[in-house]
Amino acid sequence: MKLVRFGKVGEEKPGLIDADGTIRDLSGVVPDISGPYLSKEKLAELAKLDPASLPKVDAGVRLGPCVGNVGNFIAVGLNYADHAAETNSPIPSEPILFNKARSCIVGPNDDVMVPFGSEKMDWEVELAIVIGKTASNVSEADALSIVAGFCLCNDVSERAWQTERGGQWMKGKGCPTFGPLGPWLVTPDEIADVQNLGMWLDVNGKRMQTGSTSTMIFGALYLVHYISQFMRLEAGDVITTGTPPGVGMGMKPPVYLKAGDIMTLGIEGLGSQRQTVVPYKAG
């Protein structure tokens, strides 16, 4: 099942994608695709619906983030062996964790804004995990039981702030619009092997990233287990799991985003995104 949120910013409604790719309005069934409605039981109820019984949504409607009211937005750094190599970084012995601000989350095709004073804005196509049940100290074997689904994330980054300003990476990771999520939340039953998904990202039509979740150092379910040792995961939390090679920072010379650039990206089975980079705007 593919779940979406559609409509104006702040007024998104829940929906699902039918077999023909049409959005069907779920607002008469659930108020949102968010924490309380991401449990296995709630998702099973939605899966039993006949999509044809739900109102069609007009084509071309804006898609919002595929998860509403995200709580924790957790990210994993240097989690692809080939990406670690391109940045001349050692393979981590344990996952590197940092936070992205929940306020940076936007829809999959919304504009991405250059922050005030930014000089080194970069892209990162990533697989994200959406938690569906509150839990802590979850074993890797049981991790899938608390996963509502998977989605596509662009972990947009400001590299100078991330790596040159001291302290934690979150300085360059949580700027407004730095967390496009979606287009869909895809339930686990639709993903045959989450550790074998092709990934790609283009800038202005030029392929920058080509990769696969098969080169992750720490797999998706291991990450759920690992993170749950240090915090209580809650329904609606999002974990974005790292990026394959091809980021701007790793190029020789480095290449960074500027206003007017267009990013397109996708992951096999999880859909695609398209963002235009726009100048800084206060507010």
Side-chain angles (χ1 to χ4, degrees):
M1 184 167 54
K2 296 181 176 70
L3 300 171
V4 298
R5 299 172 70 249
F6 63 92
K8 296 178 180 180
V9 175
E11 300 177 8
E12 291 91 350
K13 295 181 180 180
L16 62 78
I17 306 294
D18 69 16
D20 297 324
T22 301
I23 300 175
R24 299 285 182 158
D25 189 343
L26 279 173
S27 60
V29 182
V30 291
D32 203 355
I33 307 300
S34 61
Y37 310 101
L38 293 172
S39 68
K40 296 292 185 185
E41 295 75 18
K42 290 292 184 181
L43 293 177
E45 292 176 10
L46 296 182
K48 292 177 182 177
L49 295 172
D50 176 9
S53 68
L54 302 169
K56 287 185 177 181
V57 176
D58 292 339
V61 67
R62 172 190 174 268
L63 296 181
C66 59
V67 186
N69 196 31
V70 172
N72 295 297
F73 192 5
I74 308 147
V76 183
L78 293 175
N79 193 35
Y80 282 69
D82 34 11
H83 172 54
E86 77 170 340
T87 58
N88 296 312
S89 301
I91 299 297
S93 59
E94 294 194 36
I96 297 171
L97 306 180
F98 59 93
N99 288 328
K100 286 179 73 75
R102 56 181 292 190
S103 58
C104 80
I105 295 173
V106 291
N109 304 314
D110 290 344
D111 291 341
V112 168
M113 183 175 64
V114 179
F116 179 74
S118 170
E119 298 177 350
K120 298 180 179 180
M121 185 173 165
D122 206 347
W123 56 83
E124 293 191 11
V125 58
E126 301 201 2
L127 166 77
I129 305 163
V130 178
I131 300 299
K133 179 182 178 181
T134 298
S136 58
N137 293 305
V138 179
S139 70
E140 186 174 1
D142 291 335
L144 191 61
S145 69
I146 70 163
V147 172
F150 303 96
C151 67
L152 173 61
C153 175
N154 189 354
D155 177 19
V156 185
S157 308
E158 212 303 332
R159 299 302 191 187
W161 300 353
Q162 176 190 353
T163 64
E164 301 171 21
R165 299 286 296 272
Q168 298 186 355
W169 288 6
M170 64 178 292
K171 289 180 181 178
K173 294 287 191 171
C175 304
T177 73
F178 270 28
L181 292 180
W184 316 311
L185 170 61
V186 181
T187 51
D189 58 289
E190 292 214 7
I191 306 297
D193 183 0
V194 74
Q195 296 305 152
N196 190 28
L197 302 177
M199 313 168 73
W200 59 273
L201 184 144
D202 295 348
V203 177
N204 300 327
K206 180 180 179 181
R207 183 58 46 92
M208 298 297 189
Q209 291 188 273
T210 301
S212 169
T213 57
S214 63
T215 68
M216 289 172 69
I217 299 166
F218 303 104
L221 298 184
Y222 178 82
L223 290 172
V224 173
H225 151 69
Y226 182 84
I227 294 167
S228 77
Q229 298 176 67
F230 307 108
M231 61 180 290
R232 182 176 65 188
L233 293 171
E234 298 181 332
D237 286 353
V238 174
I239 302 169
T240 191
T241 60
T243 197
V247 299
M249 178 177 64
M251 296 183 177
K252 296 180 176 51
V255 176
Y256 295 114
L257 294 164
K258 62 185 183 303
D261 287 343
I262 295 174
M263 293 180 283
T264 52
L265 56 148
I267 296 180
E268 182 181 357
L270 300 181
S272 61
Q273 301 182 352
R274 183 185 189 277
Q275 296 113 26
T276 300
V277 180
V278 298
Y280 171 77
K281 181 180 179 181

